[in-house]
Amino acid sequence: MPGVDGFMYPNEVELQWSILIVLYPYLTGLVAGAFILASLARVFNVKEVQPTYRIALLTALAFLLVAPLPLQLHLGHPERSIEMYLTPHKTSAMAMFGFVYLWYLLIVLLMEIWLDYRKDIVILSRTKTGFMRLVYRILTLGSQNISEESRRVDDRVGLIVTIIGIPSAFLLHGYVGFIFGSVKANPWWSTPLMPVVFLFSAMVSGIATVLLVYQVVNKLRGQPVHMFCLDAIAKYLFYVFVIDFSLEMLDLVHRIYESDESFRSLDFMVHTKLYFSQIILQIMLGTLVPLVLLGANQVMKFGESTRRKMYTVAGILTMIGIFAMRWNVVIGGQLFSKSFLGYTTYKVEFATREGLLPAIALLLLPLGILWVLLKLLPPGEEEQTA
Amino acid sequence: MQKILRESGHLVRLALVLAAGFLIFMAVRAAIVPKSFGQYGHYRGAVLEEIRAKPISFAGRATCEVCHDEVAKTKSEGKHAGLGCEACHGPSAAHTEDPTTNHAFKPNPATLCVRCHEADRARPKTFPQVTSKDHANGMSCGDCHKPHSPKI
């Protein structure tokens, strides 16, 4: 059979989870990561990353709104997704995830953004005219109170929401790892480390996104891109990345030492079918190169424009590396046979419902939404700088 | 305390909006979710009645054997004894009710037999399999084997 090496059971030849399922943990990861960076600024009052606070929140929202779409596209029948809420299935991890998503969207992200932007919204509802005025008026919920005292209340409540938000963000993405980690029939996925690895890689990709988005957005808005801010983000990116990488290596060492019956098969796969995406893209280009670039900055002092370039390259490579990691988990887990005697091939389609084209569209869509959000809720001038 | 309450009026509004959303959701849920949902399990209880009301399409081999006792006898002595009649003839309930107007389907051995007997690695090794290209050489399986008692 073309594309099949060795022995495959008939139901393993064709992959069920396509590139869209690769996209899904990628998108939720960006959400969780961006939010955690924003929370860092708020809860621990890290002054250096303050300028990215609002941008990070809006980025998280833009990606969160798009995150369920790959699933809808993959499953088909989007009109049925409401059933998940109407008749909740309490013993299905995937079904309960709908509630985690809803909680995170409504109670954490929208609430935090609303509380933070309330003053801006009220002011905009007074200065804008026509249709936009109406939009902002609705967003104020009819309360024009922006007194010092009310803002202090907002700040308090916002802080509580953020504090609730951090475990929620962990839950949001840990959950995705849990779904894979709990598939006990699949040795490539089934490890309790999976949620933790997913979480840290989520933080890595989210921080890298903010690092890039912050530069681009402020360039486009004609606002300054602060070097102290980039330095701080790059520093966090480096440390989180080190933890992430150590965890992945821990998983690897554990697998090598344990060497259970699946090991030879998986090891062979990594050296053949997954060689490019795992060894070259994920580990070399997507992890080691950015780690060296970021690490060099922690021990040496480079010129400003060199630093900027190094961070940008590291950020882009990180994004590619984390995408490759999701790819290797989702696709890699379906390439080998449960008999450990054969391998199949995944051929990405192009202009089909689960092809490359919709995947690219879904990656660009959040950027479009982010643009609208930035217009609707401008992050403002330098009022929050340290 | 009084002052804090006065200054958090907008939060009360937010809470009201969320509460309204929740109530609308519950109302929609009450209206949309079928009454019998969850009666026996995580499905619509009434569906059992609906399925029961559907016309039956398979009659079962015991019914066939009432009229076709010679076929039943041949079959029970051959290697296909374990197969139901309708595994090959397809759903034939209509035929059993009125055999003369509803003719039963007579499958063509040339295409029928390979469905189960074509060599396939996924089938158990003990199951009799042939590579029809080599084995039948273009002839119909029915030219040599009798479907109801296939062993030669």
Side-chain angles (χ1 to χ4, degrees):
Chain A
M1 207 183 277
V4 174
D5 306 319
F7 181 83
M8 269 331 249
Y9 292 115
N11 59 339
E12 294 171 334
V13 173
E14 209 177 310
L15 270 69
Q16 303 301 321
W17 284 0
S18 62
I19 186 170
L20 292 182
I21 305 298
V22 176
L23 214 55
Y24 171 66
Y26 190 58
L27 291 176
T28 48
L30 298 183
V31 176
F35 180 81
I36 289 169
L37 185 67
S39 319
L40 204 71
R42 177 146 196 174
V43 176
F44 301 107
N45 212 4
V46 181
K47 286 277 184 303
E48 290 92 332
V49 293
Q50 282 292 352
T52 66
Y53 175 67
R54 286 183 155 187
I55 294 176
L57 281 186
L58 295 183
T59 307
L61 180 59
F63 279 95
L64 188 66
L65 290 175
V66 176
L69 295 186
L71 298 186
Q72 306 274 25
L73 212 55
H74 167 74
L75 292 169
H77 281 292
E79 80 282 1
R80 289 185 192 162
S81 55
I82 182 77
E83 301 282 341
M84 186 165 67
Y85 296 114
L86 294 176
T87 54
H89 197 304
K90 290 187 257 338
T91 52
S92 158
M94 285 194 190
M96 288 331 275
F97 187 72
F99 288 91
V100 176
Y101 177 84
L102 200 64
W103 162 268
Y104 190 75
L105 177 66
L106 288 183
I107 305 299
V108 176
L109 209 47
L110 284 180
M111 187 114 111
E112 176 155 349
I113 292 177
W114 187 72
L115 288 171
D116 192 64
Y117 269 101
R118 219 171 55 76
K119 185 169 163 200
D120 305 51
I121 293 173
V122 169
I123 293 172
L124 283 167
S125 79
R126 290 175 190 161
T127 51
K128 290 276 175 179
T129 52
F131 177 70
M132 286 318 288
R133 187 192 183 95
L134 188 68
V135 171
Y136 287 115
R137 283 213 89 113
I138 294 173
L139 285 179
T140 60
L141 301 182
S143 162
Q144 295 277 331
N145 185 359
I146 47 171
S147 63
E148 280 291 310
E149 201 56 39
S150 73
R151 291 301 286 157
R152 230 187 324 276
V153 172
D154 285 348
D155 213 42
R156 266 275 112 106
V157 178
L159 188 65
I160 296 172
V161 171
T162 313
I163 292 172
I164 299 174
I166 294 176
S168 303
F170 275 60
L171 191 64
L172 181 79
H173 204 66
Y175 214 109
V176 181
F178 174 85
I179 299 260
F180 284 98
S182 60
V183 179
K184 58 173 170 265
N186 189 322
W188 185 248
W189 291 338
S190 175
T191 152
L193 264 182
M194 195 60 102
V196 188
V197 170
F198 259 63
L199 197 63
F200 275 91
S201 59
M203 281 156 69
V204 169
S205 65
I207 296 174
T209 316
V210 175
L211 181 74
L212 298 174
V213 169
Y214 168 63
Q215 297 188 56
V216 175
V217 165
N218 272 13
K219 278 261 162 58
L220 292 182
R221 294 194 309 139
Q223 292 283 325
V225 179
H226 293 292
M227 210 55 218
F228 64 84
C229 180
L230 288 184
D231 284 336
I233 303 179
K235 188 175 74 192
Y236 290 124
L237 181 57
F238 176 69
Y239 288 124
V240 177
F241 216 154
V242 168
I243 300 178
D244 178 45
F245 188 54
S246 329
L247 281 171
E248 280 182 38
M249 286 305 110
L250 180 63
D251 183 42
L252 187 69
V253 171
H254 179 254
R255 279 171 191 270
I256 294 174
Y257 191 72
E258 193 179 46
S259 268
D260 69 3
E261 72 276 13
S262 67
F263 181 72
R264 281 166 62 99
S265 173
L266 300 184
D267 189 49
F268 181 77
M269 182 171 77
V270 170
H271 286 95
T272 51
K273 299 237 172 207
L274 286 186
Y275 188 77
F276 179 71
S277 60
Q278 177 117 358
I279 308 281
I280 306 275
L281 272 188
Q282 183 188 334
I283 298 184
M284 306 267 194
L285 279 179
T287 306
L288 293 178
V289 175
L291 273 180
V292 169
L293 285 176
L294 296 169
N297 270 297
Q298 307 306 314
V299 289
M300 281 184 267
K301 204 92 194 104
F302 293 98
E304 197 157 294
S305 82
T306 323
R307 272 197 340 258
R308 211 177 280 253
K309 287 199 191 87
M310 287 171 92
Y311 293 158
T312 308
V313 171
I316 293 172
L317 286 179
T318 305
M319 303 287 295
I320 296 174
I322 300 288
F323 186 83
M325 182 258 178
R326 309 293 191 232
W327 173 280
N328 294 326
V329 168
V330 176
I331 302 296
Q334 303 173 83
L335 290 182
F336 63 93
S337 168
K338 179 75 173 140
S339 66
F340 305 130
L341 294 173
Y343 306 87
T344 186
T345 311
Y346 176 49
K347 200 161 175 302
V348 189
E349 295 165 330
F350 185 65
T352 54
R353 197 183 63 175
E354 297 199 42
L356 190 61
L357 197 64
I360 293 175
L362 285 175
L363 269 180
L364 294 180
L365 185 59
L367 301 179
I369 294 180
L370 180 62
W371 186 79
V372 174
L373 284 176
L374 285 168
K375 283 266 170 294
L376 187 69
L377 300 171
E381 315 292 307
E382 288 302 314
E383 54 162 42
Q384 329 209 352
T385 340
Chain B
M1 193 62 212
Q2 198 104 63
K3 197 161 161 211
I4 292 179
L5 276 182
R6 181 151 34 80
E7 295 295 348
S8 44
H10 57 284
L11 292 179
V12 176
R13 284 165 193 265
L14 181 64
L16 286 178
V17 169
L18 285 176
F22 181 70
L23 287 181
I24 292 173
F25 169 77
M26 291 313 274
V28 169
R29 183 179 136 97
I32 289 186
V33 176
K35 290 283 160 296
S36 66
F37 187 88
Q39 193 180 353
Y40 306 114
H42 198 76
Y43 58 91
R44 210 155 43 82
V47 80
L48 296 183
E49 278 308 318
E50 284 166 29
I51 292 174
R52 203 172 296 148
K54 283 194 173 154
I56 287 171
S57 40
F58 285 91
R61 71 175 96 174
T63 318
C64 311
E65 286 167 2
V66 174
C67 301
H68 296 289
D69 48 346
E70 17 34 275
V71 179
K73 188 161 176 297
T74 332
K75 194 169 81 72
S76 66
E77 284 158 5
K79 284 284 185 181
H80 276 167
L83 294 182
C85 313
E86 287 159 304
C88 296
H89 287 284
S92 319
H95 167 70
T96 59
E97 270 150 31
D98 187 358
T100 42
T101 44
N102 302 324
H103 293 291
F105 172 63
K106 239 166 65 166
N108 178 3
T111 53
L112 170 76
C113 317
V114 288
R115 221 167 63 197
C116 297
H117 287 291
E118 190 64 53
D120 186 333
R121 276 204 282 191
R123 299 196 206 279
K125 283 203 178 61
T126 50
F127 186 79
Q129 302 166 53
V130 294
T131 309
S132 54
K133 222 164 23 124
D134 307 335
H135 180 78
N137 206 7
M139 292 166 76
S140 167
C141 316
D143 293 347
C144 300
H145 296 277
K146 286 195 291 295
H148 296 142
S149 179
K151 179 112 178 127
I152 298 179

